[in-house]
Amino acid sequence: MNIKDLAQHLGLSIGTVSRALNAKPDVNPKTRQRVLDAAVELGYSANTSGRSLRRGSTQTVAFVLETGQADVRGGDNFFMRIIDAMQDALSAQGYDLIILPSNSASDPTEFIKRTIARGIADAIIVTATRAQDSRIELLLKSHMPFLAFGRSQIAGDYAWIDLDFEGFLRQSMQQLVALGHRRIAVTAPPSTSNIGVLLHETYAATCAQLGLDHDPSLVIPAEHSEFGGSAVTQSILAMDDPVTALILNYEMMAFGAYSALRDAGLSPGKDLSIVTLRRSKQLRFLEPAVTACAIDLEGLGTQIARETLRVIRGESPNAALVWPAKLVVSDSIQAPPARA
Amino acid sequence: MNIKDLAQHLGLSIGTVSRALNAKPDVNPKTRQRVLDAAVELGYSANTSGRSLRRGSTQTVAFVLETGQADVRGGDNFFMRIIDAMQDALSAQGYDLIILPSNSASDPTEFIKRTIARGIADAIIVTATRAQDSRIELLLKSHMPFLAFGRSQIAGDYAWIDLDFEGFLRQSMQQLVALGHRRIAVTAPPSTSNIGVLLHETYAATCAQLGLDHDPSLVIPAEHSEFGGSAVTQSILAMDDPVTALILNYEMMAFGAYSALRDAGLSPGKDLSIVTLRRSKQLRFLEPAVTACAIDLEGLGTQIARETLRVIRGESPNAALVWPAKLVVSDSIQAPPARA
DNA sequence: CTAGGTATCGTAAACGTTTACGGAGGTCGG
DNA sequence: CCGACCTCCGTAAACGTTTACGATACCTAG
């Protein structure tokens, strides 16, 4: 079912049919309607290869999902909810969204290079960004329109959007200090990563602001998993100078933290206050309810789509965008226990 | 960076360059190597549109992910692990994998129709199949190579692969009966769905086989979520004639079941035996450890990829394939409590 | 030495679209 | 009544590949 078949069936030339389908001006309204009717009747859709070859654009946005990342595997499908919203926003503008799984077996940078060269999409969205991210350097050098979901330390004029880790940590610490906590631990990725740096800086600044002693060793590296949560909790319980609150930068760690506390005969909230980054469906089954941020994932998805389209169209995009996270307090944070 | 640029840079014609890149016979081994070296040096990859337009095939498999389904949202990224393995198996054969998110906003059948017409992939994999699935009818009618991940009641010659729900239920009931259970409940989707029908039939057959009274009302419809798990548990606890074991056909329901039992002052395993479909990472934090099936998701992914390639190549595929699920017994099933 | 064969490469057509350009017919003002 | 303009449509080139076919140079057997 080509455009040629469609044209023959209508007794028209393919040029006219194409113009009719693409709403070009110089075609008789009556014939245009005839063409449109025949198209839906015969189930014609323009062949993607032919169209994008001629147009030089694919009308497609590629979302590169690093499937090996812990953040993808855990959680209540964080990414799927974002992608759903992106899909809606993009298709409203005539764009398609495809997800490209980049697994750990292949080099992420090579994957991006190949994706650019193949010309499969008009823009690329990269996730799981790192501080020194060669994918971003590559995208900048190749002048490929792209958006980074997650910040990086690569200099240059490009758009990125990320969650408000800073606001999350600041709000958490404020709440905890208001309850009387003085020694607060927070998990972080290794300090070489950009999130790690950000959390360290924010921790120091907030300590100063709230009048806490700043002990950098309380920013504790932890694996992004349930097991990371239990490991960091155990290490905290073994400390000489007791910590009374723990802030987790990945929500699934809460499962590990709760179970480590129970194994030690302690109860979350009462013996150790727990805060985690994002409210997710699974967390609702933890008792007491865990204090976490409400993050509008659907809004985030549409925002990502919008920014990406602006990059494609060459409009000056919001170069840096921090997506708000609003802390919702529950019973997992309480006043610190009386000193033994 | 066209093939033309590459050819000019090498002082060759584009025909020769193309033949060299595609390992065609009539090209000098020395020039071939020269071409390959220049290609990696200049970062050349064949433009997808041009190639697939000429070839008539895209060397791409599209995995249509129904992002609105509960099974996608829950779990420890069931699909991502499958997709990872598919990716490896497909790229080893020179194929690419793209994921097409089909969200609830659009009609799934229209989405498939458009995907076919656009000619974006050589084969389509559909998920979240239903008993009467118009997508499968459409794919059959259009002669598009496809594979259904999940069974359906649509007649026709097509390949599908699905988890072994039947074996799961049979193994679970055998174990439970061996422990002394006589009244066993099992959750199921509405009986109009194919899984619902399958579970009903298997339940009846296994009851007969094991000498249990067959009470069809013990196949209980339940929502595929944590809340579905707690709802069904509560309804069981309210029964006059007590049920001593509960089999959950979706793993995340275990969270709900455990918390409902705790709320009633009961303990899982001791007061009510619990079995669930799949071992997932999150479940490890439930106490006692929940009895569930080990399912080789990576193997499943490679199998899906293999079958899809066979469909594309017109080789007779394994039309129907049930992927094994092996029950791993833990402390969540125990002998039934003495009758009060 | 020549005819035929082989190895290697260039040429050009084709895939399905879009779009600049031109042409035929009709309308209208002078 | 005639030239100018507008409306509508067909023609053909172009996008980047692949591949059938032909061409050249070289080699070998007779």
Side-chain angles (χ1 to χ4, degrees), chain A residues 48-49 52 67 72-73 77 84 87-88 96 99 101 103 118 226 285, chain B residues 48-49 52 67 72-73 77 84 87-88 96 99 101 103 118 226:
Chain A
T48 305
S49 305
S52 55
T67 50
V72 179
R73 306 214 149 184
N77 281 51
D84 251 31
Q87 170 90 314
D88 290 341
D96 287 305
I99 306 172
N103 64 8
R118 291 201 304 154
E226 292 88 343
F285 284 90
Chain B
T48 304
S49 304
S52 55
T67 51
V72 180
R73 307 215 149 182
N77 280 49
D84 252 32
Q87 170 90 314
D88 290 340
D96 287 305
I99 306 172
N103 63 8
R118 290 201 304 153
E226 292 87 343

PDB file of all heavy atoms in Angstrom, chain A residues 48-49 52 67 72-73 77 84 87-88 96 99 101 103 118 226 285, chain B residues 48-49 52 67 72-73 77 84 87-88 96 99 101 103 118 226:
ATOM      1  N   THR A  48       7.593   5.236   6.840  1.00  0.00           N
ATOM      2  CA  THR A  48       8.475   6.059   7.659  1.00  0.00           C
ATOM      3  C   THR A  48       9.843   6.278   6.994  1.00  0.00           C
ATOM      4  O   THR A  48      10.379   7.382   7.019  1.00  0.00           O
ATOM      5  CB  THR A  48       8.686   5.397   9.028  1.00  0.00           C
ATOM      6  OG1 THR A  48       7.414   5.169   9.620  1.00  0.00           O
ATOM      7  CG2 THR A  48       9.502   6.282   9.924  1.00  0.00           C
ATOM      8  N   SER A  49      10.365   5.226   6.409  1.00  0.00           N
ATOM      9  CA  SER A  49      11.697   5.350   5.822  1.00  0.00           C
ATOM     10  C   SER A  49      11.701   6.374   4.691  1.00  0.00           C
ATOM     11  O   SER A  49      12.547   7.263   4.644  1.00  0.00           O
ATOM     12  CB  SER A  49      12.167   3.993   5.302  1.00  0.00           C
ATOM     13  OG  SER A  49      12.115   3.031   6.325  1.00  0.00           O
ATOM     14  N   SER A  52      11.097  10.008   6.098  1.00  0.00           N
ATOM     15  CA  SER A  52      12.174  10.647   6.850  1.00  0.00           C
ATOM     16  C   SER A  52      13.433  10.771   5.995  1.00  0.00           C
ATOM     17  O   SER A  52      14.244  11.673   6.215  1.00  0.00           O
ATOM     18  CB  SER A  52      12.455   9.872   8.131  1.00  0.00           C
ATOM     19  OG  SER A  52      12.728   8.532   7.859  1.00  0.00           O
ATOM     20  N   THR A  67      19.115   0.315  31.130  1.00  0.00           N
ATOM     21  CA  THR A  67      18.372  -0.713  31.853  1.00  0.00           C
ATOM     22  C   THR A  67      19.198  -1.356  32.965  1.00  0.00           C
ATOM     23  O   THR A  67      18.652  -2.046  33.820  1.00  0.00           O
ATOM     24  CB  THR A  67      17.906  -1.821  30.896  1.00  0.00           C
ATOM     25  OG1 THR A  67      19.019  -2.252  30.130  1.00  0.00           O
ATOM     26  CG2 THR A  67      16.842  -1.295  29.984  1.00  0.00           C
ATOM     27  N   VAL A  72      16.408   2.089  37.576  1.00  0.00           N
ATOM     28  CA  VAL A  72      15.427   1.599  36.625  1.00  0.00           C
ATOM     29  C   VAL A  72      14.775   0.334  37.145  1.00  0.00           C
ATOM     30  O   VAL A  72      13.580   0.139  37.058  1.00  0.00           O
ATOM     31  CB  VAL A  72      16.103   1.305  35.275  1.00  0.00           C
ATOM     32  CG1 VAL A  72      15.076   0.783  34.296  1.00  0.00           C
ATOM     33  CG2 VAL A  72      16.755   2.550  34.736  1.00  0.00           C
ATOM     34  N   ARG A  73      15.587  -0.506  37.719  1.00  0.00           N
ATOM     35  CA  ARG A  73      15.092  -1.808  38.142  1.00  0.00           C
ATOM     36  C   ARG A  73      14.163  -1.677  39.334  1.00  0.00           C
ATOM     37  O   ARG A  73      13.188  -2.395  39.444  1.00  0.00           O
ATOM     38  CB  ARG A  73      16.264  -2.703  38.523  1.00  0.00           C
ATOM     39  CG  ARG A  73      17.275  -2.790  37.424  1.00  0.00           C
ATOM     40  CD  ARG A  73      17.907  -4.139  37.391  1.00  0.00           C
ATOM     41  NE  ARG A  73      18.271  -4.452  36.025  1.00  0.00           N
ATOM     42  CZ  ARG A  73      18.785  -5.598  35.627  1.00  0.00           C
ATOM     43  NH1 ARG A  73      19.007  -6.547  36.477  1.00  0.00           N
ATOM     44  NH2 ARG A  73      19.081  -5.800  34.375  1.00  0.00           N
ATOM     45  N   ASN A  77       8.167   1.632  38.939  1.00  0.00           N
ATOM     46  CA  ASN A  77       8.213   2.066  37.560  1.00  0.00           C
ATOM     47  C   ASN A  77       8.182   3.568  37.395  1.00  0.00           C
ATOM     48  O   ASN A  77       7.381   4.144  36.662  1.00  0.00           O
ATOM     49  CB  ASN A  77       7.107   1.414  36.764  1.00  0.00           C
ATOM     50  CG  ASN A  77       7.488   0.018  36.416  1.00  0.00           C
ATOM     51  OD1 ASN A  77       7.879  -0.763  37.287  1.00  0.00           O
ATOM     52  ND2 ASN A  77       7.466  -0.291  35.148  1.00  0.00           N
ATOM     53  N   ASP A  84       4.963   7.602  29.974  1.00  0.00           N
ATOM     54  CA  ASP A  84       3.559   7.742  29.628  1.00  0.00           C
ATOM     55  C   ASP A  84       3.195   9.197  29.354  1.00  0.00           C
ATOM     56  O   ASP A  84       2.559   9.516  28.351  1.00  0.00           O
ATOM     57  CB  ASP A  84       2.700   7.223  30.782  1.00  0.00           C
ATOM     58  CG  ASP A  84       2.022   5.919  30.429  1.00  0.00           C
ATOM     59  OD1 ASP A  84       2.603   5.153  29.649  1.00  0.00           O
ATOM     60  OD2 ASP A  84       0.913   5.685  30.929  1.00  0.00           O
ATOM     61  N   GLN A  87       4.864  10.548  26.189  1.00  0.00           N
ATOM     62  CA  GLN A  87       4.157  10.032  25.019  1.00  0.00           C
ATOM     63  C   GLN A  87       2.977  10.927  24.655  1.00  0.00           C
ATOM     64  O   GLN A  87       2.804  11.317  23.501  1.00  0.00           O
ATOM     65  CB  GLN A  87       3.671   8.615  25.351  1.00  0.00           C
ATOM     66  CG  GLN A  87       2.723   8.025  24.364  1.00  0.00           C
ATOM     67  CD  GLN A  87       3.487   7.276  23.299  1.00  0.00           C
ATOM     68  OE1 GLN A  87       4.480   7.757  22.757  1.00  0.00           O
ATOM     69  NE2 GLN A  87       3.019   6.105  23.000  1.00  0.00           N
ATOM     70  N   ASP A  88       2.168  11.255  25.651  1.00  0.00           N
ATOM     71  CA  ASP A  88       1.000  12.097  25.397  1.00  0.00           C
ATOM     72  C   ASP A  88       1.421  13.454  24.849  1.00  0.00           C
ATOM     73  O   ASP A  88       0.881  13.930  23.855  1.00  0.00           O
ATOM     74  CB  ASP A  88       0.205  12.281  26.693  1.00  0.00           C
ATOM     75  CG  ASP A  88      -0.482  10.989  27.107  1.00  0.00           C
ATOM     76  OD1 ASP A  88      -0.647  10.101  26.252  1.00  0.00           O
ATOM     77  OD2 ASP A  88      -0.851  10.877  28.277  1.00  0.00           O
ATOM     78  N   ASP A  96       6.662  10.995  17.614  1.00  0.00           N
ATOM     79  CA  ASP A  96       6.610   9.671  18.194  1.00  0.00           C
ATOM     80  C   ASP A  96       7.721   9.528  19.213  1.00  0.00           C
ATOM     81  O   ASP A  96       8.762  10.179  19.129  1.00  0.00           O
ATOM     82  CB  ASP A  96       6.771   8.608  17.111  1.00  0.00           C
ATOM     83  CG  ASP A  96       5.529   8.490  16.260  1.00  0.00           C
ATOM     84  OD1 ASP A  96       4.457   8.281  16.840  1.00  0.00           O
ATOM     85  OD2 ASP A  96       5.633   8.635  15.027  1.00  0.00           O
ATOM     86  N   ILE A  99      11.678   4.032  22.872  1.00  0.00           N
ATOM     87  CA  ILE A  99      12.603   3.791  23.968  1.00  0.00           C
ATOM     88  C   ILE A  99      13.688   2.857  23.478  1.00  0.00           C
ATOM     89  O   ILE A  99      13.396   1.801  22.913  1.00  0.00           O
ATOM     90  CB  ILE A  99      11.882   3.154  25.171  1.00  0.00           C
ATOM     91  CG1 ILE A  99      10.689   4.015  25.567  1.00  0.00           C
ATOM     92  CG2 ILE A  99      12.827   2.981  26.334  1.00  0.00           C
ATOM     93  CD1 ILE A  99       9.823   3.374  26.611  1.00  0.00           C
ATOM     94  N   PRO A 101      16.621   0.593  24.710  1.00  0.00           N
ATOM     95  CA  PRO A 101      17.257   0.026  25.889  1.00  0.00           C
ATOM     96  C   PRO A 101      18.753  -0.124  25.669  1.00  0.00           C
ATOM     97  O   PRO A 101      19.189  -0.790  24.743  1.00  0.00           O
ATOM     98  CB  PRO A 101      16.582  -1.338  26.035  1.00  0.00           C
ATOM     99  CG  PRO A 101      16.127  -1.696  24.675  1.00  0.00           C
ATOM    100  CD  PRO A 101      15.918  -0.417  23.917  1.00  0.00           C
ATOM    101  N   ASN A 103      21.700  -1.653  27.400  1.00  0.00           N
ATOM    102  CA  ASN A 103      22.020  -2.502  28.546  1.00  0.00           C
ATOM    103  C   ASN A 103      23.508  -2.486  28.848  1.00  0.00           C
ATOM    104  O   ASN A 103      24.318  -1.908  28.140  1.00  0.00           O
ATOM    105  CB  ASN A 103      21.495  -3.918  28.352  1.00  0.00           C
ATOM    106  CG  ASN A 103      22.162  -4.597  27.186  1.00  0.00           C
ATOM    107  OD1 ASN A 103      23.099  -4.080  26.622  1.00  0.00           O
ATOM    108  ND2 ASN A 103      21.652  -5.756  26.837  1.00  0.00           N
ATOM    109  N   ARG A 118      22.938   6.605  12.986  1.00  0.00           N
ATOM    110  CA  ARG A 118      21.872   5.932  12.250  1.00  0.00           C
ATOM    111  C   ARG A 118      20.749   6.889  11.873  1.00  0.00           C
ATOM    112  O   ARG A 118      19.948   6.586  10.986  1.00  0.00           O
ATOM    113  CB  ARG A 118      21.290   4.793  13.096  1.00  0.00           C
ATOM    114  CG  ARG A 118      22.255   3.645  13.279  1.00  0.00           C
ATOM    115  CD  ARG A 118      21.518   2.391  13.650  1.00  0.00           C
ATOM    116  NE  ARG A 118      20.703   2.549  14.832  1.00  0.00           N
ATOM    117  CZ  ARG A 118      19.622   1.838  15.086  1.00  0.00           C
ATOM    118  NH1 ARG A 118      19.203   0.955  14.221  1.00  0.00           N
ATOM    119  NH2 ARG A 118      18.942   2.011  16.195  1.00  0.00           N
ATOM    120  N   GLU A 226      17.683  -2.237  48.120  1.00  0.00           N
ATOM    121  CA  GLU A 226      17.184  -2.589  49.445  1.00  0.00           C
ATOM    122  C   GLU A 226      18.358  -2.957  50.353  1.00  0.00           C
ATOM    123  O   GLU A 226      18.380  -2.606  51.526  1.00  0.00           O
ATOM    124  CB  GLU A 226      16.213  -3.762  49.344  1.00  0.00           C
ATOM    125  CG  GLU A 226      14.915  -3.417  48.636  1.00  0.00           C
ATOM    126  CD  GLU A 226      15.015  -3.606  47.138  1.00  0.00           C
ATOM    127  OE1 GLU A 226      16.150  -3.693  46.618  1.00  0.00           O
ATOM    128  OE2 GLU A 226      13.967  -3.672  46.483  1.00  0.00           O
ATOM    129  N   PHE A 285       3.244   0.056  52.347  1.00  0.00           N
ATOM    130  CA  PHE A 285       3.084  -1.092  53.222  1.00  0.00           C
ATOM    131  C   PHE A 285       4.116  -1.118  54.334  1.00  0.00           C
ATOM    132  O   PHE A 285       4.196  -2.072  55.074  1.00  0.00           O
ATOM    133  CB  PHE A 285       3.107  -2.373  52.408  1.00  0.00           C
ATOM    134  CG  PHE A 285       1.815  -2.565  51.701  1.00  0.00           C
ATOM    135  CD1 PHE A 285       1.634  -2.048  50.433  1.00  0.00           C
ATOM    136  CD2 PHE A 285       0.769  -3.189  52.332  1.00  0.00           C
ATOM    137  CE1 PHE A 285       0.427  -2.189  49.801  1.00  0.00           C
ATOM    138  CE2 PHE A 285      -0.446  -3.332  51.699  1.00  0.00           C
ATOM    139  CZ  PHE A 285      -0.619  -2.832  50.435  1.00  0.00           C
TER     140      PHE A 285
ATOM    141  N   THR B  48      19.617   4.859   8.690  1.00  0.00           N
ATOM    142  CA  THR B  48      18.572   3.845   8.816  1.00  0.00           C
ATOM    143  C   THR B  48      17.486   4.000   7.750  1.00  0.00           C
ATOM    144  O   THR B  48      17.031   3.008   7.182  1.00  0.00           O
ATOM    145  CB  THR B  48      17.928   3.935  10.209  1.00  0.00           C
ATOM    146  OG1 THR B  48      18.958   3.817  11.186  1.00  0.00           O
ATOM    147  CG2 THR B  48      16.938   2.824  10.404  1.00  0.00           C
ATOM    148  N   SER B  49      17.106   5.236   7.498  1.00  0.00           N
ATOM    149  CA  SER B  49      16.011   5.441   6.542  1.00  0.00           C
ATOM    150  C   SER B  49      16.409   4.946   5.154  1.00  0.00           C
ATOM    151  O   SER B  49      15.669   4.206   4.510  1.00  0.00           O
ATOM    152  CB  SER B  49      15.654   6.929   6.486  1.00  0.00           C
ATOM    153  OG  SER B  49      15.341   7.399   7.770  1.00  0.00           O
ATOM    154  N   SER B  52      16.781   1.008   5.101  1.00  0.00           N
ATOM    155  CA  SER B  52      15.571   0.204   5.186  1.00  0.00           C
ATOM    156  C   SER B  52      14.640   0.507   4.024  1.00  0.00           C
ATOM    157  O   SER B  52      13.846  -0.341   3.622  1.00  0.00           O
ATOM    158  CB  SER B  52      14.872   0.423   6.524  1.00  0.00           C
ATOM    159  OG  SER B  52      14.614   1.775   6.722  1.00  0.00           O
ATOM    160  N   THR B  67       2.042   0.330  28.864  1.00  0.00           N
ATOM    161  CA  THR B  67       2.531   0.932  30.099  1.00  0.00           C
ATOM    162  C   THR B  67       1.434   1.100  31.140  1.00  0.00           C
ATOM    163  O   THR B  67       1.725   1.330  32.309  1.00  0.00           O
ATOM    164  CB  THR B  67       3.161   2.303  29.821  1.00  0.00           C
ATOM    165  OG1 THR B  67       2.247   3.083  29.070  1.00  0.00           O
ATOM    166  CG2 THR B  67       4.441   2.134  29.057  1.00  0.00           C
ATOM    167  N   VAL B  72       3.167  -4.100  34.507  1.00  0.00           N
ATOM    168  CA  VAL B  72       4.320  -3.312  34.115  1.00  0.00           C
ATOM    169  C   VAL B  72       4.753  -2.415  35.262  1.00  0.00           C
ATOM    170  O   VAL B  72       5.923  -2.291  35.570  1.00  0.00           O
ATOM    171  CB  VAL B  72       3.990  -2.440  32.896  1.00  0.00           C
ATOM    172  CG1 VAL B  72       5.203  -1.640  32.504  1.00  0.00           C
ATOM    173  CG2 VAL B  72       3.546  -3.313  31.753  1.00  0.00           C
ATOM    174  N   ARG B  73       3.763  -1.857  35.912  1.00  0.00           N
ATOM    175  CA  ARG B  73       4.082  -0.871  36.939  1.00  0.00           C
ATOM    176  C   ARG B  73       4.671  -1.536  38.166  1.00  0.00           C
ATOM    177  O   ARG B  73       5.572  -1.014  38.793  1.00  0.00           O
ATOM    178  CB  ARG B  73       2.821  -0.120  37.351  1.00  0.00           C
ATOM    179  CG  ARG B  73       2.104   0.473  36.166  1.00  0.00           C
ATOM    180  CD  ARG B  73       1.476   1.770  36.534  1.00  0.00           C
ATOM    181  NE  ARG B  73       1.457   2.618  35.372  1.00  0.00           N
ATOM    182  CZ  ARG B  73       0.998   3.859  35.373  1.00  0.00           C
ATOM    183  NH1 ARG B  73       0.514   4.364  36.458  1.00  0.00           N
ATOM    184  NH2 ARG B  73       1.042   4.580  34.289  1.00  0.00           N
ATOM    185  N   ASN B  77      10.750  -4.699  37.976  1.00  0.00           N
ATOM    186  CA  ASN B  77      11.068  -4.519  36.572  1.00  0.00           C
ATOM    187  C   ASN B  77      11.217  -5.821  35.814  1.00  0.00           C
ATOM    188  O   ASN B  77      12.195  -6.086  35.124  1.00  0.00           O
ATOM    189  CB  ASN B  77      12.305  -3.653  36.423  1.00  0.00           C
ATOM    190  CG  ASN B  77      11.944  -2.220  36.591  1.00  0.00           C
ATOM    191  OD1 ASN B  77      11.272  -1.855  37.543  1.00  0.00           O
ATOM    192  ND2 ASN B  77      12.338  -1.406  35.648  1.00  0.00           N
ATOM    193  N   ASP B  84      16.407  -6.649  28.472  1.00  0.00           N
ATOM    194  CA  ASP B  84      17.857  -6.712  28.456  1.00  0.00           C
ATOM    195  C   ASP B  84      18.357  -7.949  27.719  1.00  0.00           C
ATOM    196  O   ASP B  84      19.239  -7.870  26.865  1.00  0.00           O
ATOM    197  CB  ASP B  84      18.375  -6.740  29.899  1.00  0.00           C
ATOM    198  CG  ASP B  84      19.036  -5.445  30.278  1.00  0.00           C
ATOM    199  OD1 ASP B  84      18.607  -4.403  29.761  1.00  0.00           O
ATOM    200  OD2 ASP B  84      19.983  -5.478  31.081  1.00  0.00           O
ATOM    201  N   GLN B  87      17.616  -7.826  23.984  1.00  0.00           N
ATOM    202  CA  GLN B  87      18.560  -6.915  23.348  1.00  0.00           C
ATOM    203  C   GLN B  87      19.841  -7.652  22.958  1.00  0.00           C
ATOM    204  O   GLN B  87      20.315  -7.545  21.829  1.00  0.00           O
ATOM    205  CB  GLN B  87      18.874  -5.775  24.327  1.00  0.00           C
ATOM    206  CG  GLN B  87      19.997  -4.884  23.934  1.00  0.00           C
ATOM    207  CD  GLN B  87      19.494  -3.737  23.122  1.00  0.00           C
ATOM    208  OE1 GLN B  87      18.699  -3.899  22.197  1.00  0.00           O
ATOM    209  NE2 GLN B  87      19.942  -2.565  23.446  1.00  0.00           N
ATOM    210  N   ASP B  88      20.387  -8.388  23.902  1.00  0.00           N
ATOM    211  CA  ASP B  88      21.621  -9.115  23.627  1.00  0.00           C
ATOM    212  C   ASP B  88      21.431 -10.110  22.491  1.00  0.00           C
ATOM    213  O   ASP B  88      22.234 -10.172  21.564  1.00  0.00           O
ATOM    214  CB  ASP B  88      22.086  -9.849  24.890  1.00  0.00           C
ATOM    215  CG  ASP B  88      22.577  -8.880  25.949  1.00  0.00           C
ATOM    216  OD1 ASP B  88      22.905  -7.733  25.583  1.00  0.00           O
ATOM    217  OD2 ASP B  88      22.631  -9.260  27.127  1.00  0.00           O
ATOM    218  N   ASP B  96      18.074  -4.682  15.843  1.00  0.00           N
ATOM    219  CA  ASP B  96      17.897  -3.703  16.904  1.00  0.00           C
ATOM    220  C   ASP B  96      16.553  -3.913  17.575  1.00  0.00           C
ATOM    221  O   ASP B  96      15.606  -4.419  16.971  1.00  0.00           O
ATOM    222  CB  ASP B  96      17.963  -2.278  16.338  1.00  0.00           C
ATOM    223  CG  ASP B  96      19.372  -1.908  15.956  1.00  0.00           C
ATOM    224  OD1 ASP B  96      20.257  -2.002  16.824  1.00  0.00           O
ATOM    225  OD2 ASP B  96      19.592  -1.543  14.795  1.00  0.00           O
ATOM    226  N   ILE B  99      11.516  -0.127  21.979  1.00  0.00           N
ATOM    227  CA  ILE B  99      10.334  -0.304  22.802  1.00  0.00           C
ATOM    228  C   ILE B  99       9.360   0.807  22.466  1.00  0.00           C
ATOM    229  O   ILE B  99       9.724   1.988  22.462  1.00  0.00           O
ATOM    230  CB  ILE B  99      10.687  -0.249  24.295  1.00  0.00           C
ATOM    231  CG1 ILE B  99      11.785  -1.261  24.601  1.00  0.00           C
ATOM    232  CG2 ILE B  99       9.462  -0.518  25.140  1.00  0.00           C
ATOM    233  CD1 ILE B  99      12.319  -1.145  26.000  1.00  0.00           C
ATOM    234  N   PRO B 101       6.082   2.536  23.719  1.00  0.00           N
ATOM    235  CA  PRO B 101       5.144   2.620  24.825  1.00  0.00           C
ATOM    236  C   PRO B 101       3.750   2.925  24.315  1.00  0.00           C
ATOM    237  O   PRO B 101       3.514   3.935  23.670  1.00  0.00           O
ATOM    238  CB  PRO B 101       5.689   3.759  25.675  1.00  0.00           C
ATOM    239  CG  PRO B 101       6.439   4.621  24.724  1.00  0.00           C
ATOM    240  CD  PRO B 101       6.913   3.747  23.601  1.00  0.00           C
ATOM    241  N   ASN B 103       0.373   3.785  25.717  1.00  0.00           N
ATOM    242  CA  ASN B 103      -0.254   4.102  26.996  1.00  0.00           C
ATOM    243  C   ASN B 103      -1.762   4.052  26.898  1.00  0.00           C
ATOM    244  O   ASN B 103      -2.342   3.851  25.836  1.00  0.00           O
ATOM    245  CB  ASN B 103       0.230   5.447  27.512  1.00  0.00           C
ATOM    246  CG  ASN B 103      -0.157   6.579  26.606  1.00  0.00           C
ATOM    247  OD1 ASN B 103      -0.911   6.383  25.661  1.00  0.00           O
ATOM    248  ND2 ASN B 103       0.347   7.749  26.871  1.00  0.00           N
ATOM    249  N   ARG B 118       3.337   2.160   9.423  1.00  0.00           N
ATOM    250  CA  ARG B 118       4.524   2.998   9.323  1.00  0.00           C
ATOM    251  C   ARG B 118       5.748   2.209   8.869  1.00  0.00           C
ATOM    252  O   ARG B 118       6.728   2.796   8.427  1.00  0.00           O
ATOM    253  CB  ARG B 118       4.815   3.651  10.679  1.00  0.00           C
ATOM    254  CG  ARG B 118       3.813   4.694  11.060  1.00  0.00           C
ATOM    255  CD  ARG B 118       4.385   5.632  12.092  1.00  0.00           C
ATOM    256  NE  ARG B 118       4.864   4.941  13.264  1.00  0.00           N
ATOM    257  CZ  ARG B 118       5.826   5.399  14.054  1.00  0.00           C
ATOM    258  NH1 ARG B 118       6.417   6.530  13.762  1.00  0.00           N
ATOM    259  NH2 ARG B 118       6.186   4.731  15.125  1.00  0.00           N
ATOM    260  N   GLU B 226      -0.951  -4.449  45.275  1.00  0.00           N
ATOM    261  CA  GLU B 226      -0.815  -4.710  46.701  1.00  0.00           C
ATOM    262  C   GLU B 226      -2.191  -4.685  47.374  1.00  0.00           C
ATOM    263  O   GLU B 226      -2.477  -5.499  48.248  1.00  0.00           O
ATOM    264  CB  GLU B 226       0.091  -3.649  47.340  1.00  0.00           C
ATOM    265  CG  GLU B 226       1.540  -3.720  46.901  1.00  0.00           C
ATOM    266  CD  GLU B 226       1.803  -2.934  45.639  1.00  0.00           C
ATOM    267  OE1 GLU B 226       0.828  -2.598  44.932  1.00  0.00           O
ATOM    268  OE2 GLU B 226       2.976  -2.660  45.357  1.00  0.00           O
TER     269      GLU B 226
END
